[in-house]
């Protein structure tokens, strides 16, 4: 079949057909099939949608949220199948937190996260060996952002650390500082820096570990003196927002509130009125008085949805950078992938299951449970 061929016909639901057959058809032709499969699957299936998902996909979600909220919902669910419309690390976390008998499905296995790819477990182990060699391991707590592989979460769990998301980073940092003098924060330098600074840690007490540099590009002294060692990772989507964008919207729209995700660079966060996870950004607009205008620094699908939703309440929402910041990996989950995954489930076939190895799961679960405890 030719991709996007308007004459292509999808085989009847229930007949065996490959993902390529689904991908050949336009997005809107999937709606009825997704809805029908959803009804047939009933309570056996929980469909989760992260806020960066496209409209054509998120409208079928049973629950939407940021990574923390979705992981909580996954933990509390009794559904046999959890279909995660999000990215790989989110589905992995849901699998780690799932009960026995539950299965987690990611409709497109190519939906990864470029930030999570910036830290590999072998690099993290090499970093830790260097910290050990300098005798600093006993006073250093490894803390990883949810946007990381299951192996890195397991590493943190085993070494006495934990996981955090953008909605509980501060609580996780406090937890870690009750147990150690220093945090090794993986893999997002911006979230680490923004959180540390908000807690009163000056920038000169934070160092950046470059996994490609000799001893991370640091000296024994710089590591020993630091309170936070920041892994040199970032989100390419959020890194596009610049301080000049904040200046420009403030000049153009006096009185505008600038709210940004803490994955944005430090200089942008310093100029913003508030920072928050995706769920919190929505709440900030929701709680604002009528007539308030916002420039939002996060992924464009969420910003566009907020603009439409809050226009009805007399609030104006624009993107902080009007070239539009798209998370291309979140975008990979298409209606075709969703229809394919759901119709296979209706037929009793589980496709694209995300299954973390038991040996990794054990310590990753410890790290995630610690996160859920700090709230
Ligand atoms: P949230 O947990 O705020 O939804 O963020 C996830 C993410 O990947 C942001 O880029
Ligand atoms: Fe990863 Fe950035 Fe996409 Fe979030 S927005 S999933 S951090 S690439």
């Amino acid at each position: 079949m030719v991709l996007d061929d308007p004459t292509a016909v999808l085989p009847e639901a229930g007949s065996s057909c490959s993902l390529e057959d689904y991908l050949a058809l336009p997005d809107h032709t999937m709606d009825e099939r997704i809805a029908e499969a959803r009804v047939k699957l009933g309570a056996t299936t929980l469909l989760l949608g992260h806020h960066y998902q496209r409209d054509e996909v998120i409208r079928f979600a049973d629950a939407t949220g940021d990574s923390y909220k979705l992981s909580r919902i996954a933990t509390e669910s009794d559904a046999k199948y959890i279909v995660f419309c999000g990215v790989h690390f989110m589905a992995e976390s849901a699998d780690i937190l799932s009960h026995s008998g539950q299965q987690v499905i990611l409709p497109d296995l190519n939906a990864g996260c470029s930030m999570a790819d910036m830290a590999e477990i072998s690099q993290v182990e090499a970093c830790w060996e260097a910290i050990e060699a300098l005798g600093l391991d006993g006073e250093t707590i490894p803390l990883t952002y949810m946007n990381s592989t299951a192996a890195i979460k397991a590493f943190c769990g085993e070494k006495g650390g934990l996981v955090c998301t953008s909605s509980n980073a501060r609580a996780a940092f406090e937890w870690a500082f009750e147990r150690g003098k220093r945090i090794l924060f993986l893999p997002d330098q911006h979230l680490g820096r923004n959180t540390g600074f908000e807690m009163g840690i000056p920038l000169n007490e934070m160092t950046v570990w470059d996994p490609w540099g000799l001893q991370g590009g640091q000296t024994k002294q710089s590591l020993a003196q630091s309170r936070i060692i920041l892994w040199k990772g970032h989100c390419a989507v959020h890194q596009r927002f610049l301080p000049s964008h904040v200046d420009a919207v403030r000049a153009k729209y006096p009185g505008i509130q600038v709210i940004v995700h803490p994955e944005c660079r430090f200089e942008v966060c310093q100029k913003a009125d508030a920072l928050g996870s995706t769920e919190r950004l929505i709440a900030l607009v929701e709680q604002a008085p009528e007539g308030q205008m916002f420039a939002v620094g996060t992924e464009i699908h969420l910003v566009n949805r907020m603009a439409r939703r809050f226009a009805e309440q007399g609030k104006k929402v624009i993107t902080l950078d009007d070239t539009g910041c798209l998370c291309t990996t979140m975008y990979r989950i298409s209606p075709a992938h969703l229809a394919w995954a759901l119709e296979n489930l209706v037929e009793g076939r589980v496709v694209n299951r995300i299954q973390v190895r038991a040996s990794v799961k054990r310590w990753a679960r410890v790290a995630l449970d610690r996160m859920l405890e700090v709230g």
Side-chain angles (χ1 to χ4, degrees):
M1 247 179 219
V2 184
L3 204 67
D4 271 338
D5 175 358
T7 61
V9 181
L10 189 64
E12 286 295 302
S15 62
S16 154
C17 81
S18 71
L19 176 59
E20 281 64 40
D21 295 331
Y22 287 79
L23 294 176
L25 289 162
D27 284 351
H28 68 272
T29 59
M30 297 292 151
D31 287 6
E32 267 179 43
R33 298 185 73 125
I34 295 172
E36 212 175 293
R38 190 64 206 86
V39 170
K40 283 185 187 154
L41 290 164
T44 61
T45 304
L46 174 70
L47 213 154
L48 297 178
H50 184 267
H51 288 307
Y52 293 164
Q53 289 292 293
R54 349 166 162 186
D55 294 351
E56 315 88 89
V57 167
I58 206 163
R59 65 163 164 254
F60 293 105
D62 299 308
T64 62
D66 61 12
S67 354
Y68 180 74
K69 182 176 164 193
L70 293 177
S71 63
R72 263 220 173 276
I73 294 171
T75 327
E76 287 157 10
S77 166
D78 289 327
K80 189 167 171 201
Y81 305 114
I82 298 174
V83 178
F84 215 121
C85 296
V87 286
H88 196 270
F89 70 81
M90 297 180 181
E92 259 190 351
S93 300
D95 181 57
I96 295 162
L97 292 167
S98 65
H99 318 299
S100 65
Q102 281 183 315
Q103 298 186 43
V104 178
I105 290 153
L106 181 64
D108 184 352
L109 295 179
N110 290 314
C113 165
S114 56
M115 177 204 282
D117 292 343
M118 289 179 193
E120 283 175 16
I121 185 61
S122 56
Q123 295 175 317
V124 174
E125 282 166 351
C127 166
W128 194 256
E129 275 165 27
I131 289 173
E132 271 174 344
L134 298 173
L136 302 174
D137 52 312
E139 55 194 40
T140 305
I141 306 290
L143 166 49
T144 187
Y145 190 23
M146 181 73 107
N147 303 29
S148 56
T149 61
I152 291 178
K153 291 183 178 79
F155 173 89
C156 290
E158 194 172 1
K159 303 286 180 210
L162 75 167
V163 176
C164 74
T165 71
S166 56
S167 64
N168 57 18
R170 185 168 180 151
F173 273 52
E174 281 163 3
W175 186 97
F177 280 128
E178 279 163 20
R179 289 158 178 84
K181 239 168 81 175
R182 177 182 310 103
I183 289 173
L184 167 63
F185 189 71
L186 309 150
D188 184 16
Q189 59 171 304
H190 299 307
L191 177 64
R193 188 177 291 111
N194 290 324
T195 308
F197 192 79
E198 190 194 271
M199 292 173 74
I201 299 173
L203 293 182
N204 62 10
E205 291 182 17
M206 304 187 207
T207 48
V208 177
W209 181 277
D210 178 355
W212 303 103
L214 199 63
Q215 197 172 257
Q218 296 297 333
T219 62
K220 175 173 184 175
Q221 198 188 13
S222 66
L223 291 170
Q225 282 173 353
S226 67
R227 306 263 332 269
I228 306 177
I229 303 171
L230 301 163
W231 192 264
K232 196 175 179 188
H234 64 268
C235 165
V237 179
H238 288 90
Q239 189 138 295
R240 289 182 54 164
F241 296 109
L242 301 173
S244 57
H245 295 138
V246 182
D247 297 338
V249 291
R250 289 207 195 281
K252 193 165 175 191
Y253 306 103
I256 197 167
Q257 291 273 307
V258 177
I259 58 174
V260 304
H261 196 278
E263 286 176 15
C264 291
R265 54 182 91 218
F266 178 72
E267 298 77 7
V268 170
C269 293
Q270 285 302 298
K271 280 182 177 264
D273 295 294
L275 316 182
S277 74
T278 52
E279 189 75 14
R280 169 118 179 95
L281 294 174
I282 297 169
L284 284 168
V285 181
E286 201 161 36
Q287 290 153 13
E290 201 182 324
Q292 181 62 55
M293 183 171 182
F294 289 89
V296 184
T298 198
E299 207 271 346
I300 195 66
H301 285 89
L302 173 57
V303 180
N304 286 341
R305 214 156 27 239
M306 286 167 78
R308 284 197 302 275
R309 172 176 162 194
F310 292 112
E312 292 163 17
Q313 298 173 22
K315 300 169 195 172
K316 192 167 164 59
V317 173
I318 60 167
T319 173
L320 180 55
D321 167 17
D322 55 18
T323 62
C325 289
L326 168 79
C327 176
T328 51
T329 47
M330 284 278 182
Y331 191 75
R332 294 201 74 111
I333 308 288
S334 67
H337 286 94
L338 183 56
W340 173 70
L342 293 180
E343 288 192 347
N344 269 290
L345 272 188
V346 170
E347 294 304 309
R349 290 184 294 266
V350 175
V351 292
N352 285 6
R353 181 172 178 196
I354 299 297
Q355 210 172 1
V356 177
R357 263 186 299 128
S359 56
V360 174
K361 225 175 191 175
R362 178 168 164 243
W363 283 109
R365 171 91 207 206
V366 170
L368 279 165
D369 279 345
R370 287 181 184 141
M371 174 192 82
L372 294 173
E373 276 161 33
V374 301

